Amino acid sequence: MSSKSILNKASLTFLENYLNNASPTGYESEGQKIWMDYLKPYVDTFITDIYGTAVGVINPEATYKVVIEGHSDEISWYVNYITEDGFIYVIRNGGSDHMIAPSKRVHIHTKKGIVKGVFGWPAIHTRNKSKEEAARIDNIFIDCGCETKEEVEKLGIHVGCVVTYPDAFEILNENKFICRAIDNRMGGFMIAEVARLLKENKKKLPFGLYIVNSVQEEIGLRGAEMITQTLKPNVAIVTDVCHDTTTPMIDKKIEGDLKMGKGPVIAYAPATQNILREMIVDTAEANKIPFQRHATSRVTGTDTDAFAYSNGGVASALISLPLRYMHTTVEMVHREDVENVIRLIYESLLKIENNHNFSYFK
């Protein structure tokens, strides 16, 4: 495939709409509809499950099954307690960061629609300088402009309502994409682009391809855990995000040396099947796709783990997108990395044969 840009205007419009739509863990269905609508021209059929995972299928009649996967959910908050004065306390839905909450605008999702609010914080003038309090899960609170609990409840807000940030997609300095929820709707975007390129380049795969957008990754890989039992794939190539470790306050001795703009990140971990991973490394080298390596120790912490250890073992690999400021509202990735992850997955698929044997014992 040519090294020129593979993202077109329609791609970027889809990406913006998809990122700007709220898809908190457990409430991904509206985002999934946007994703499936975009993917529809490029697949033969769809599979969905009861919790909302969506799968576009190419060659559904084939017996040998290959998955490419991202996850569709974003971190959020749950309303947990409403005070008599109308302040709202929250608990996490996924790994939401209490440190970034103060002064953020929020959307509270109710049956009546979105209610706007803010995470309030005492003014600097009023705080005790000798013992400044950091933001904690027990002291951050939402103010939606109500003076009583009754007023809050009249808006349709109750315990269990989900809360998201409204921060929208932007392009920074021409080639940096920023938004909340790039983790990991960018993964869903990238696998959809792989499907588009296969169609546009008239590539006929000798196996069934399952383009999987899983739910509920942020609370323990749950969507992948469910869908892999349904699909029973032979191979899974997962894409998620990993940390760019070149920003201040990160210890490379602990987190590794990874930088956005230097290419996709290929994971080394027990869950990554060595022959599949080396095939991906060889594919990157043969196609002059820049890449980085990341050792993740005993788990990858991604849906790779759910696929790898399912159904008696599934040959699995992880190709990550380096990202700055994970689980904030200003997650940042490099456009060239996005394109190179797409290229690497696309070219790797073209190397997989029907009934491909990834066994160590041939």
Side-chain angles (χ1 to χ4, degrees), residues 150-169:
E150 187 181 19
E151 271 189 63
V152 172
E153 291 174 338
K154 278 182 179 174
L155 294 174
I157 299 169
H158 55 73
V159 169
C161 282
V162 73
V163 180
T164 60
Y165 297 115
D167 300 65
F169 174 79

Side-chain angles (χ1 to χ4, degrees), residues 218-272:
E218 295 290 357
I219 49 92
L221 324 181
R222 299 307 189 191
E225 199 173 74
M226 290 184 275
I227 200 66
T228 190
Q229 302 300 333
T230 300
L231 301 180
K232 296 186 165 34
N234 300 95
V235 180
I237 299 174
V238 173
T239 186
D240 207 320
V241 293
C242 63
H243 302 290
D244 174 324
T245 63
T246 63
T247 57
M249 301 168 69
I250 296 177
D251 187 346
K252 290 182 183 178
K253 294 189 296 293
I254 304 297
E255 301 294 340
D257 188 5
L258 302 168
K259 185 174 184 178
M260 70 176 186
K262 291 184 73 174
V265 176
I266 297 174
Y268 286 70
T272 57

Side-chain angles (χ1 to χ4, degrees), residues 268-270 295-300:
Y268 286 70
T296 74
S297 191
R298 64 189 299 270
V299 296
T300 70

Side-chain angles (χ1 to χ4, degrees), residues 117-362:
V118 298
F119 272 111
W121 195 245
I124 187 170
H125 321 67
T126 67
R127 302 199 299 265
N128 186 330
K129 312 300 184 290
S130 64
K131 48 178 183 180
E132 284 265 41
E133 279 193 78
R136 303 187 310 270
I137 191 68
D138 66 340
N139 69 6
I140 59 172
F141 61 91
I142 292 170
D143 184 340
C144 58
C146 294
E147 295 178 29
T148 65
K149 181 177 182 178
E150 187 181 19
E151 271 189 63
V152 172
E153 291 174 338
K154 278 182 179 174
L155 294 174
I157 299 169
H158 55 73
V159 169
C161 282
V162 73
V163 180
T164 60
Y165 297 115
D167 300 65
F169 174 79
E170 290 183 51
I171 298 176
L172 203 62
N173 195 25
E174 296 184 356
N175 58 12
K176 312 302 187 306
F177 296 154
I178 60 166
C179 196
R180 56 165 234 300
I182 285 176
D183 174 13
N184 179 36
R185 284 212 283 289
M186 192 62 80
F189 170 75
M190 294 188 296
I191 59 176
E193 289 299 277
V194 171
R196 175 177 68 83
L197 292 171
L198 289 168
K199 184 79 167 184
E200 290 179 355
N201 295 333
K202 298 181 170 58
K203 297 295 183 182
K204 300 294 183 188
L205 298 174
F207 48 78
L209 182 64
Y210 291 73
I211 302 119
V212 178
N213 210 11
S214 294
V215 297
Q216 300 196 23
E217 188 272 350
E218 295 290 357
I219 49 92
L221 324 181
R222 299 307 189 191
E225 199 173 74
M226 290 184 275
I227 200 66
T228 190
Q229 302 300 333
T230 300
L231 301 180
K232 296 186 165 34
N234 300 95
V235 180
I237 299 174
V238 173
T239 186
D240 207 320
V241 293
C242 63
H243 302 290
D244 174 324
T245 63
T246 63
T247 57
M249 301 168 69
I250 296 177
D251 187 346
K252 290 182 183 178
K253 294 189 296 293
I254 304 297
E255 301 294 340
D257 188 5
L258 302 168
K259 185 174 184 178
M260 70 176 186
K262 291 184 73 174
V265 176
I266 297 174
Y268 286 70
T272 57
Q273 210 272 350
N274 297 335
I275 295 172
L276 175 60
R277 187 197 59 243
E278 288 309 299
M279 188 199 80
I280 292 169
V281 169
D282 292 346
T283 299
E285 290 174 342
N287 289 278
K288 296 184 169 54
I289 299 169
F291 69 94
Q292 306 172 78
R293 292 180 168 94
H294 184 213
T296 74
S297 191
R298 64 189 299 270
V299 296
T300 70
T302 71
D303 284 336
T304 314
D305 303 332
F307 280 97
Y309 301 129
S310 70
N311 301 300
V314 174
S316 299
L318 172 60
I319 302 172
S320 297
L321 178 67
L323 174 141
R324 290 182 172 177
Y325 321 122
M326 194 182 296
H327 285 204
T328 72
T329 58
V330 290
E331 293 181 337
M332 181 188 298
V333 294
H334 199 298
R335 175 177 176 145
E336 287 179 15
D337 290 336
V338 171
E339 297 198 356
N340 280 321
V341 169
I342 295 165
R343 283 194 185 96
L344 185 51
I345 296 172
Y346 174 93
E347 297 292 351
S348 296
L349 288 176
L350 299 182
K351 294 291 184 186
I352 299 176
E353 299 166 356
N354 188 31
N355 298 318
H356 202 119
N357 183 4
F358 287 100
S359 173
Y360 300 134
F361 311 105
K362 294 177 184 174

Side-chain angles (χ1 to χ4, degrees), residues 108-115 155-158 161-162:
I108 306 166
H109 298 262
T110 79
K111 286 181 180 175
K112 296 179 178 180
I114 287 172
V115 177
L155 294 174
I157 299 169
H158 55 73
C161 282
V162 73

